Amino acid sequence: MSEKTKVLIIGSGPAGYTAAIYAARAGLKPVLFTGGQPGGQLTTTNDVENFPGYPEGINGPQMMIDLQKQAERFGTVINYGLVTGVDFSGYPHKVTVDENRTVEAEAVIIATGASAKYLGLPSEEKYANRGVSACAVCDGYFYRGKEVAVVGAGDSAAEESTYLSKLCTKVHLIVRREEMRASKIMQQRVLNTPNIEIHWNSETEEVLGDDQGVNGVRVRNNKTGEKKVIPIQGFFLAIGHKPNTDIFKGQLDMDEAGYLKVTPGSTHTNVEGVFAVGDVADKVYRQAVTAAGSGCMGALDAEKFLAAREMEMAHS
Ligand code: NDP
């Protein structure tokens, strides 16, 4: 037997919770499935300094706890479950949770976000959770007093290196070009931190280790061809993210990178009654505040869609 709901929200980052707050306050009694990382990407960051309304900044995980409480306060039902499949071919829409539970929904708001990318090296996989991590804030503590490396050159790499520099004796930042794409202010922080060493034009060839876990990384200078081994105990990836859209393949329109396509200026996907909000449909801005804003749009779009349907049914 399927469970039934009016509005089903997939994902629990700022986009999902904001959609829940708005849908709940509109009396739609939304049901939200958190996914595998309750709270989303902000649970892997420390201070969020750019969310309006927090002059002193706010701790990412705390912000997500607050958003969850706010969504629950208005009647959102939060479920700790992973949506493993969807069927948008008929109506109502069908969603499978944890492989064995089916929920039918009149409107679905997708807020599944994006996940950290890896380089794709076999050695990276071999040492996963034994020295390789894609989240400095989650795992940095385990490497206090040790030497680590961070790969990447964007704001994440800058932020994670700076964060790790406070815990670790030394941070090696491995940058594949001769410049970073991180914002000037974040680059400046990196350059002003004495225990961060930047390895320019460097590509990771292999993560090295033994039974104890990671003990080094071999990098190659792509200008000179020179190779060197940097002794480290922790290897952190900060090379961007991939949208979490695998379960929607073949059902929803997406771009070449897998981001869901929406009608510009709205959250409508190509399927009626299915809305996409937050990073899953945004490869440009990717901010907590823009995700929250689009979560609000998704709830308003869903509300309008449901009201129009009800009107149609009443007149038919
Ligand atoms: P980005 O996509 O901005 O940057 C990814 C970085 O990883 C690039 O510098 C890229 O190099 C490098 N890279 C990609 N693939 C590889 C590879 N195979 N080997 C080596 N290097 C690689 O991702 P971020 O996660 O840094 O940032 C995403 C968004 O989030 C941005 O808009 C950013 O501004 C924002 N952000 C904001 C923060 C804040 O304001 N506090 C904190 C963190 C992120 P290349 O430059 O050569 O392409």
Side-chain angles (χ1 to χ4, degrees):
M1 258 275 287
S2 309
E3 299 159 50
K4 291 186 195 328
T5 182
K6 248 187 176 15
V7 176
L8 187 140
I9 299 167
I10 313 176
S12 56
Y17 281 139
T18 306
I21 292 164
Y22 274 77
R25 294 189 80 252
L28 296 171
K29 298 191 177 63
V31 170
L32 180 148
F33 285 94
T34 58
Q37 188 180 31
Q41 285 185 74
L42 278 190
T43 58
T44 68
T45 196
N46 46 352
D47 284 339
V48 180
E49 293 179 336
N50 51 13
F51 201 93
Y54 297 98
E56 306 304 328
I58 176 157
N59 169 275
Q62 184 58 49
M63 185 181 183
M64 299 322 299
I65 291 168
D66 291 346
L67 278 174
Q68 176 177 345
K69 279 191 193 151
Q70 197 174 350
E72 283 177 321
R73 180 178 151 214
F74 298 110
T76 305
V77 176
I78 311 263
N79 285 295
Y80 293 91
L82 183 67
V83 171
T84 48
V86 295
D87 179 359
F88 296 150
S89 61
Y91 194 82
H93 301 303
K94 289 196 184 70
V95 166
T96 309
V97 183
D98 295 331
E99 312 278 3
N100 55 19
R101 182 171 166 192
T102 308
V103 186
E104 289 186 3
E106 292 172 41
V108 176
I109 300 177
I110 298 170
T112 49
S115 296
K117 278 189 191 162
Y118 287 79
L119 296 169
L121 301 170
S123 53
E124 200 180 36
E125 225 170 278
K126 184 171 171 190
Y127 296 110
N129 301 323
R130 290 197 300 137
V132 173
S133 165
C135 176
V137 178
C138 319
D139 300 328
Y141 189 73
F142 302 121
Y143 302 94
R144 59 197 190 284
K146 296 180 177 167
E147 234 172 279
V148 298
V150 174
V151 183
D155 282 338
S156 298
E159 190 178 67
E160 307 224 331
S161 311
T162 313
Y163 175 79
L164 288 166
S165 71
K166 294 178 188 130
L167 294 167
C168 305
T169 49
K170 184 157 182 183
V171 179
H172 299 269
L173 181 56
I174 303 171
V175 175
R176 68 177 171 185
R177 292 186 293 135
E178 53 200 2
E179 58 178 358
M180 291 179 72
R181 75 166 66 202
S183 57
K184 285 281 168 281
I185 182 166
M186 293 180 88
Q187 281 193 45
Q188 212 50 53
R189 269 184 212 161
V190 168
L191 294 168
N192 289 342
T193 307
N195 64 336
I196 300 180
E197 182 182 347
I198 306 181
H199 301 261
W200 301 104
N201 298 308
S202 295
E203 280 175 34
T204 305
E205 278 198 342
E206 197 180 352
V207 182
L208 309 168
D210 57 23
D211 292 349
Q212 307 298 307
V214 170
N215 60 21
V217 58
R218 190 174 65 246
V219 298
R220 182 181 163 275
N221 185 303
N222 54 28
K223 282 265 156 75
T224 63
E226 185 207 338
K227 296 184 185 193
K228 65 183 170 194
V229 171
I230 309 170
I232 49 153
Q233 275 97 52
F235 180 78
F236 291 86
L237 283 309
I239 59 167
H241 291 81
K242 173 186 177 295
N244 297 319
T245 52
D246 287 352
I247 54 169
F248 310 115
K249 277 196 182 127
Q251 305 218 38
L252 293 177
D253 286 349
M254 38 185 93
D255 71 7
E256 65 294 339
Y259 286 89
L260 295 183
K261 283 190 180 170
V262 291
T263 308
S266 82
T267 63
H268 291 263
T269 67
N270 59 307
V271 174
E272 266 206 11
V274 178
F275 306 88
V277 300
D279 286 10
V280 75
D282 171 21
K283 64 175 168 194
V284 180
Y285 301 104
R286 299 181 291 192
Q287 299 301 303
V289 67
T290 50
S294 99
C296 158
M297 288 166 66
L300 296 180
D301 285 346
E303 189 189 344
K304 215 180 253 177
F305 164 79
L306 291 170
R309 255 199 113 252
E310 266 167 36
M311 282 270 264
E312 238 173 64
M313 306 254 284
H315 289 99
S316 63

